Every structure is written in structure tokens, then in C-alpha cells.
Amino acid sequence: MKSTSLAAVSAAQPQEISQRVIPGEDAWWFIGPGGVARLKPGHLTTDGSLRPSAERHLREAGLFRTQVLRTYALTVLTSTDCNLGCGYCFQNTAQDPAGGTRPSRIAHARLTEETIDEILQFASRRMEAAGLTRLSVLLFGGEPLLNPRGCVALLAKAAEYGLTSAGMISNATLLTPRLASQLAGLGMRWVQVTFDGDQTDHDQIRARRAGGGTFDMITRNITRADQVATFAWKLRVNVSHHNHAGIDALIERLADRLDPARCAIHFARVGDIGIGYRNDLPHGSELTASFARWHRNALDRGFSVALPRVANSCQTCTVPAGRYGAVAGADGTLSSCWDTAGRPEWQVGTVREGYLPPQETSGRWVSCDWRFHYQNGRSALTSFQDSVDGALLDYLSATGRL
């Protein structure tokens, strides 16, 4: 198996561009920033690298073409609180000493009208400096809907700053039809919701801090929201040694309760990021086969899955000094990425004063997934992801979906 990387530089927007060459069952696949292609015999050298003629052909076909950034990506924490007590959450500061669902968390902060103005004025200055006129907003937390007024006010005011799209990462336990209608009317187009295995496992892992499961509540709220809003639902399925045996049943249950045509599913092994949390599920052949089967089952039940991608450069955290995006806390503090949001030790500035000088943010400016630890290490994760993606592309091709 081989993943390769190609550095490229855009005069206007320098960033790292990657390519991947991965094996399928009986062929190799090329994944570039411009798309996916099945490689023919002779396209690769004996060591698995692209031959110059093949690379030239792929370039001419546009598979190396990168999309020019035109939109400023703004993530805003509307609340640092959460009504759930998931043990793996990166915003926990310790596990619940009683073994329950009340782990200690980052400090309380709640977005206000004044801070909204300061965040959007900061974004406007950054957009002008980068030559961008369009704005996308991601509502984040904690749980963003613990501050519904802040969510509504932020999107309403963002319309004055060129808002063209909005999304939200939410546990959906607080999403009412009225609120869904309001958010949709203000430009929200998608919502990401997490499931932690089939219902029994989910209700034990993704429980309310006050106690009690959330599976029925989440699926009911999604169904009710569908009646008043046209959200695209991004269903993230967390996979761990606690719940992997129930994922097949979860896919069937979600297909029965939700509208698969409006839902995309993403399966993700949970990293050992939460303080005191460990996922003992190894990245081996058994897990690879399970991921491949789950993708096939989801597709056959009418869900969509995302095409494999290159090692994506997040425009918020991988470009120096947040040129094309920012993560703003509910109190106006700035983080390099959402992994460190809400933690004062990782603060890289404020929306009032801007980013700190590079010498002061050295060691604090980190990129997505920087803290995610895996039992088998990064090389095992890369090999695992290549195998999963190769199997997915094989199936998409065999069923005429690619």
C-alpha cells in the first residue's frame, strides 16, 4: 500500500496539496484535489509512484486542480457548556470520578450580542485582508443549541457580512421544529449529528449529564426538523471497542427512522483524546473489513457517503495566522482549530486585538486532529484508511456510483 504526497504552491494561496495512490482489489486508485481516477496498468512504476506520462494525463484531466478559496470560514462557539457527558470529549478536563456522565469540562462561556459584533467585525477585517467577500459560519460548542438566541442572532447579523452558507455541529437533543425553521430561514443548510453505535450502546455512551439516553430524542428531532427545514444531515458514527458490534444494526435502524436520501454517513474510529479515555479497538484487518461492510450497507440502504479525499489542508488551521478562517470562542478568544477551542492554554489571540505574534503562538498553533492518539500509531492509521478507501472506491465503481 502506498500513499504519496505532492507539494504544490499557489501564488495567491500557498498551501500543502496532497495526492494519494492507493490499492483496490484488482487495481490502483488515484485521489487528487480535483477528483478520483482508476489507474491503468503501466501508470505506476514498480515502487508504486506515478509515471510522468500518467501524472501529465491526470493533470490535463484536472485531477490536480485545486479550488481557489473564495469564502472565509468562521467557526463560532455559541456556548462552551454541553448537556451530554461523553467520556471521549476533547473539552473534558477529567472523567467523572463517580464513573457517571458528568465529567468536568472547560470553563463556562456564552456568546452575547456584543461579542457577536466583535467576532463579525474581526472576520470582516480578515476577509478584506485576504480579498474574500463571502462568509461561511459553523455553529459549534459545547452544544451550540444551549444558546439558541446566540445562534439565531449570529446568523442574522452575519447576513450583513456576506454570509453565503452555514452549518452546525450539534447533538440535536435540543433541536425543536421552531428552531430548525428559524435557522433554515437564516441560511443554515446542514447539521452534523453523532451516533455512538446502535441504540443500547449509544444511550450508554452518549447520555445526558442529568442521566438518560438520547437515541430516541435525536432521531425524533431529526424527523420533526425534516418537516419544516431542508437540512442535509451529516451523520457521524463514532466507532470504539464499546460499540463496534452494533454498527450494522445501527445502519438498519437509522434507515428505518430517517430519510436516507437526506443523510450522509461517516464512520470514524474515536481517538484517545479525552482525558482518561482509551479506545482499545486496533486498526487491523478485522476493522478494515467492518468499515468496508458498513459503507456497502449504508449505500445499499440509500445513504450517501463522501468520496475519499486527499489529506485535506483545513483552510482555518493549516494556513499561517488564520488567513482564510478562524475559530472564535464564546468569549471572543481565538484558537487555531476547534480541537483546542475553549482552552485558555491554547489561546492564540482575541477578536478584539487579533492574533498574537508568531513567536508567542509557537507550540499553540496546531492543526485538526493533532491530539488524536491511536493505539497503532500514525502509519497504521494511514494503512487502515487506504484499505478502507480502496474498498469503498471498488464498490462505488462496481455498482455504477462512481
Side-chain angles (χ1 to χ4, degrees), residues 133-176:
T133 58
R134 300 189 297 194
L135 174 68
S136 70
V137 171
L138 172 61
L139 301 180
F140 195 66
E143 167 50 46
L145 295 184
L146 281 172
N147 184 6
R149 290 185 179 179
C151 293
V152 170
L154 173 62
L155 295 186
K157 290 191 175 184
E160 303 170 14
Y161 292 82
L163 180 69
T164 57
S165 64
M168 176 172 64
I169 297 179
S170 169
N171 60 43
T173 60
L174 304 173
L175 184 61
T176 64

Side-chain angles (χ1 to χ4, degrees), residues 166-190:
M168 176 172 64
I169 297 179
S170 169
N171 60 43
T173 60
L174 304 173
L175 184 61
T176 64
R178 180 175 180 273
L179 185 52
S181 179
Q182 279 185 292
L183 295 172
L186 291 169
M188 181 171 291
R189 297 294 174 258
W190 60 267

Side-chain angles (χ1 to χ4, degrees), residues 228-239:
V228 298
T230 55
F231 294 141
W233 299 97
K234 300 182 179 183
L235 309 182
R236 176 188 169 97
V237 177
N238 282 343
V239 179

Side-chain angles (χ1 to χ4, degrees), residues 35-50:
V36 175
R38 187 185 183 95
L39 298 177
K40 296 180 180 180
H43 281 172
L44 297 177
T45 63
T46 55
D47 69 350
S49 300
L50 281 175

